[in-house]
Amino acid sequence: MTTTDLKALESLTRDYAAFQSHKSGLATALGGLMAVLFLTAPMYVDALGIRLMGRYLLEYLLLAPFVWLVLKALLGRVLYRDLGEVKAIPDAAYERRRWFWILGIALFIGVFLILCILGFASGFLHAIPAGACVSMPSLGALWLPLLYLAPLPWMLRGIEEARAYAVLVGECMLWFLASFLAFWSTRSYRQPSMETASTVVQITLVCLLLAILIWSALAMVRGWKEHREYLAILRALPREA
Amino acid sequence: MPKNGPDPRAILDLDRIVHEPARLAILTVLASAEEVSFLFLQRVTGLSKGNLSSHTQKLEAAGYLETVKAFQGRIPVTSFRITEDGRAALRVYHQQLRALLPKEGKP
C-alpha cells in the first residue's frame, strides 16, 4: 500500500461523505430548474388568475419549496447512498456559514411576513380602487410563509441547498407580493401588469429576474458537476471482492 | 548507513497492528470520516466480508476502533468509528515511516 493509495482512500472517503453532509448533486440542479420553471411558467399562463380545483394556482406555487425539499431528500437517498452511510467529520467554519444562511432566510421570511400583515392592517384593503377584482388568493395563504421556517435547520444540509431554498422561497414571496399588488392596483385580478409599476420598480424586478436566472443556471451546472464527481467516486472503487 | 541517516532498527518499532496493509487502509478510511458503514469500508478497501470482519475485530481488540450497531428500519447496520488511540497510532505510524524513508535527493 503506497502513500498515493492512502491519499486516494482518504479523498475518496471525504468526497463520498460530502454527499451525505452537504453536496446534493442532481437535487441542486433540480432546484435551479425548478426556479426557472417557477419564475417563467406563471408569466405565460397568467397564474395569478388561474384556478385549479377551486383554489388559485398561486396557492399551489407556494408549496414549491416543500416539493423541492421532498424531492431533494428522495434523490439523495436513491442516488447517493450506493455505498452505505458515511458521516463526514464536522467542519465548524462551514457549519457557521450554513447557519448564517439559514438565519438570513429566516429573517427574510419573517420581515416579509410582517410587512404583509402590516400592509393589510394599515388599510391595504381600503386602497382598493372602485371596480377592482373581488376575488384574490385567500387570506389564509398569508400564514403559509411561516411554514417555510420549519424545515430550515433539519432539511438544509449545505450552503448550496440553503441558496436553492432561498431562491425558491424568494420567488414565492415575489408572487405572493405580486398578487397583493395586482389586487390593489388593477381593475382585474387577471391583469397584474408591470405598466402600473414605476420605472425603478420595473428595473429592480428585471434585475431580480436576471439574478435568479443566472443563479439557476449556475445551480444546474454545479449540480451536474457534483453528480459527475459522484460517478467518478464509484468508478474509482476497487472491484467487489 | 550515514551517521545522520535513519536507524534501520526503528522499523522494528512500527506498530504491527497498523502496519498490516488491510488494517492500514481501514484506519485511513476511518480517520477521514466520523463514522463509516461496513458496506462502504468493504467496497472502498476491496476486502471480503470475512476478511474485513477479522481485521476490524483485531483493530477493536487493540482499542483502535469501535463498532456501532444500529437499525435502519428493520435492517441491522454495522458502522465503525476510529478511537482517539487509533488516530494517535495512525499518526505515530506515519511519523515513524516518514523518519525511516530517505530524504528527497538522498539515496
Side-chain angles (χ1 to χ4, degrees):
Chain A
M1 179 140 305
T2 64
T3 317
T4 318
D5 292 337
L6 293 177
K7 291 271 176 221
L9 270 181
E10 270 177 18
S11 69
L12 204 66
T13 308
R14 287 207 179 100
D15 291 346
Y16 180 77
F19 279 90
Q20 296 184 20
S21 64
H22 63 273
K23 284 188 180 174
S24 301
L26 288 185
T28 305
L30 181 72
L33 186 67
M34 275 181 78
V36 173
L37 291 178
F38 192 38
L39 192 70
T40 52
M43 290 177 183
Y44 299 119
V45 297
D46 192 11
L48 299 180
I50 286 183
R51 275 177 172 271
L52 197 68
M53 292 188 291
R55 302 191 80 85
Y56 280 105
L57 187 58
L58 175 75
E59 294 175 45
Y60 294 105
L61 291 182
L62 287 170
L63 294 173
F66 292 104
V67 172
W68 178 73
L69 285 176
V70 171
L71 288 176
K72 176 182 83 68
L74 277 176
L75 277 175
R77 198 159 280 279
V78 172
L79 291 178
Y80 303 118
R81 292 281 196 281
D82 290 301
L83 311 174
E85 302 278 334
V86 175
K87 279 189 199 162
I89 295 171
D91 177 350
Y94 189 86
E95 275 301 298
R96 265 198 304 277
R97 278 192 291 149
R98 186 179 82 93
W99 274 103
F100 171 79
W101 266 94
I102 286 178
L103 285 176
I105 299 170
L107 204 66
F108 167 65
I109 294 171
V111 167
F112 185 89
L113 196 65
I114 289 167
L115 287 178
C116 278
I117 291 168
L118 285 179
F120 268 97
S122 64
F124 218 133
L125 293 171
H126 297 293
I128 306 164
C133 69
V134 286
S135 58
M136 63 175 294
S138 82
L139 290 181
L142 203 61
W143 58 267
L144 259 174
L146 273 180
L147 281 181
Y148 294 147
L149 295 173
L152 283 177
W154 294 279
M155 294 196 75
L156 298 180
R157 301 170 311 159
I159 291 166
E160 279 306 312
E161 290 185 4
R163 282 185 191 141
Y165 189 73
V167 168
L168 285 173
V169 171
E171 286 183 0
C172 284
M173 298 295 180
L174 206 65
W175 289 119
F176 206 62
L177 191 66
S179 76
F180 288 146
L181 289 176
F183 174 60
W184 177 66
S185 62
T186 66
R187 286 184 172 271
S188 161
Y189 189 62
R190 289 178 63 82
Q191 295 166 358
S193 69
M194 290 270 280
E195 291 154 23
T196 49
S198 70
T199 313
V200 176
V201 172
Q202 285 176 357
I203 292 171
T204 310
L205 279 175
V206 168
C207 288
L208 194 64
L209 296 184
L210 275 177
I212 289 174
L213 287 175
I214 291 169
W215 171 86
S216 304
L218 288 177
M220 282 189 264
V221 171
R222 183 184 278 265
W224 181 244
K225 210 174 133 196
E226 280 181 4
H227 183 66
R228 287 177 63 91
E229 275 174 30
Y230 184 78
L231 295 180
I233 291 172
L234 295 186
R235 278 197 299 273
L237 287 172
R239 289 177 186 275
E240 275 187 89
Chain B
M1 181 64 57
K3 249 185 183 178
N4 295 331
D7 179 359
R9 283 168 301 182
I11 202 162
L12 299 174
D13 295 335
L14 286 175
D15 186 340
R16 308 230 170 163
I17 297 281
V18 183
H19 190 55
E20 204 283 329
R23 290 195 286 269
L24 179 59
I26 292 170
L27 281 179
T28 302
V29 171
L30 292 181
S32 312
E34 193 176 272
E35 198 174 302
V36 177
S37 68
F38 186 95
L39 179 65
F40 181 79
L41 213 44
Q42 193 196 343
R43 288 297 310 277
V44 87
T45 56
L47 294 168
S48 68
K49 278 184 187 175
N51 245 334
L52 181 58
S53 289
S54 151
H55 285 303
T56 51
Q57 276 167 18
K58 280 180 188 157
L59 287 167
E60 192 170 23
Y64 291 170
L65 67 78
E66 56 188 28
T67 308
V68 182
K69 300 229 181 232
F71 279 89
Q72 266 182 1
R74 288 183 178 180
I75 305 163
V77 178
T78 305
S79 304
F80 304 99
R81 53 172 74 195
I82 194 167
T83 60
E84 277 310 309
D85 285 350
R87 221 175 268 281
L90 191 62
R91 198 169 43 240
V92 168
Y93 176 79
H94 280 303
Q95 283 165 357
Q96 287 176 321
L97 218 54
R98 265 196 293 272
L100 278 169
L101 291 171
K103 298 277 180 288
E104 252 179 67
K106 291 182 184 174

